[in-house]
Amino acid sequence: MSAVAALRPGRSVTVKVPATTANLGPGFDTLGLALALYDELTVTVREQPGATVDVIGVGAGEVPTDESNLVVTAIAHTFAHYGLELPGLDLVARNSIPHGRGMGSSGAAIVSGIVAAKGLLEGIVDIDSTALLALATEMEGHPDNVAPALFGGLTIAWVTPEGPQHKRLMVHRGVSPLVFVPEHVMSTALARSLQPQSVPHEDAVFNVSRSALLIAALIQSPELLLAATEDKLHQNYRASAMPETNRLIALLRENGFPAVVSGAGPSILVLASDPGQRIPAAELVASASDTRWQALMLAVDFKGATVSVADALVG
């Protein structure tokens, strides 16, 4: 079946996808949290083949605006997975998620494309949550960012022989994320290259205990977040690549703020136990650093990716 024949030119979908922060300290490649900062995407079917992308906001003038754009690649990947031909597309991407800062921008782009494809294919193919996660993980390589981007809230992600799996949890209402975003970027590939293939047994046990505690802290006991965000598995190994991030995290933690690297960095995540903790944390960073760090006081997103379809299929 040809999706081009089944889709009317002018059919349009609008997608909204949250930023994410992964690892959360000890939960390396496993835990992720959706944040109330969004990329919005509108995709419209056109008669001419190919794709064009109009980027507004973050990434404008920097990311590709043709078929090589990651969002278009994700749409094409989804259509190809179901053996369908990709129609001509016009995309408008309104981006707010910082790129290369450890806030899940690539995961959000992938999820945007896959969820847009789901909307475009409504009535042709039923793409359920399991398939969405599998497709996104295929492209991203690991599910820790794409799971919260898709489903919202706090997610635990793991991989089985049958494919990636997730469990979504609600976060205690006191948990108040604060993200410090620097002007410089960090390559996820570089950050991962600094990770050793094996770690000491006692460090592994340490992280197992803290990861278990972190789940309890995030859903029930936020007062435990400082202890629960301790990590010996990945942050120390990557510290040399982002010394200012490492220095400010140490300073924040010395002052009682549960600070960790956001994803692969270089942004810093503070998981405050109540909203009032965030202002003194922001003041501390502002007074302690000679470089500019944007302080984003964000809510937890509980919806994940959403899609609305503007018109109907041709009968």
Side-chain angles (χ1 to χ4, degrees), residues 30-51:
T30 301
L31 300 181
L33 187 67
L35 302 172
L37 179 69
Y38 303 94
D39 282 355
E40 295 189 37
L41 174 73
T42 301
V43 183
T44 305
V45 178
R46 69 183 191 193
E47 290 187 8
Q48 301 86 357

Side-chain angles (χ1 to χ4, degrees), residues 2-314:
S2 169
V4 172
L7 291 171
R8 174 191 295 131
R11 178 174 173 82
S12 182
V13 298
T14 299
V15 177
K16 187 176 180 180
V17 178
T20 56
T21 180
N23 303 327
L24 313 183
F28 184 62
D29 276 5
T30 301
L31 300 181
L33 187 67
L35 302 172
L37 179 69
Y38 303 94
D39 282 355
E40 295 189 37
L41 174 73
T42 301
V43 183
T44 305
V45 178
R46 69 183 191 193
E47 290 187 8
Q48 301 86 357
T52 59
V53 188
D54 182 14
V55 180
I56 300 166
V58 176
E62 299 173 4
V63 300
T65 55
D66 57 12
E67 291 93 336
S68 64
N69 182 283
L70 184 56
V71 177
V72 180
T73 303
I75 297 173
H77 178 75
T78 307
F79 271 69
H81 178 82
Y82 292 101
L84 297 170
E85 182 184 350
L86 188 70
L89 300 173
D90 287 322
L91 290 78
V92 179
R94 297 174 178 84
N95 296 339
S96 297
I97 303 171
H99 288 182
R101 305 304 205 286
M103 295 186 70
S105 61
S106 66
I110 289 167
V111 168
S112 292
I114 292 169
V115 173
K118 172 184 168 68
L120 291 171
L121 292 171
E122 189 175 286
I124 300 172
V125 176
D126 179 28
I127 307 177
D128 62 15
S129 60
T130 300
L132 287 172
L133 182 59
L135 287 164
T137 302
E138 267 180 37
M139 291 193 67
E140 179 76 345
H142 43 90
D144 56 341
N145 274 119
V146 295
L150 281 167
F151 308 117
L154 168 67
T155 57
I156 308 170
W158 67 101
V159 178
T160 71
E162 293 73 40
Q165 311 292 325
H166 84 285
K167 175 64 179 176
R168 177 181 178 274
L169 299 170
M170 293 298 289
V171 179
H172 190 283
R173 62 184 181 183
V175 174
S176 304
L178 166 60
V179 183
F180 293 103
V181 184
E183 294 179 340
H184 59 281
V185 301
M186 178 71 185
S187 160
T188 300
L190 172 60
R192 287 189 169 272
S193 73
L194 300 173
Q195 191 71 29
Q197 291 299 308
S198 60
V199 296
H201 178 268
E202 58 268 28
D203 289 353
V205 172
F206 181 95
N207 268 61
V208 168
S209 71
R210 296 312 189 273
S211 295
L213 181 61
L214 182 54
I215 298 298
L218 286 169
I219 68 176
Q220 182 178 318
S221 306
E223 70 277 5
L224 297 174
L225 279 167
L226 184 61
T229 49
E230 291 180 304
D231 162 69
K232 291 188 178 181
L233 203 58
H234 67 102
Q235 292 181 132
N236 289 342
Y237 297 108
R238 298 173 170 185
S240 62
M242 36 186 157
E244 184 70 353
T245 295
N246 187 56
R247 184 183 72 82
L248 290 174
I249 287 174
L251 179 64
L252 284 160
R253 296 190 67 86
E254 286 167 9
N255 283 271
F257 300 108
V260 298
V261 178
S262 180
S267 293
I268 297 167
L269 169 69
V270 175
L271 288 169
S273 58
D274 68 75
Q277 260 197 332
R278 299 191 291 190
I279 292 175
E283 291 172 344
L284 178 62
V285 167
S287 66
S289 181
D290 294 332
T291 57
R292 181 176 176 270
W293 292 74
Q294 183 183 13
L296 301 178
M297 299 187 189
L298 302 171
V300 176
D301 169 86
F302 294 109
K303 288 185 177 180
T306 59
V307 59
S308 59
V309 182
D311 66 354
L313 289 165
V314 174

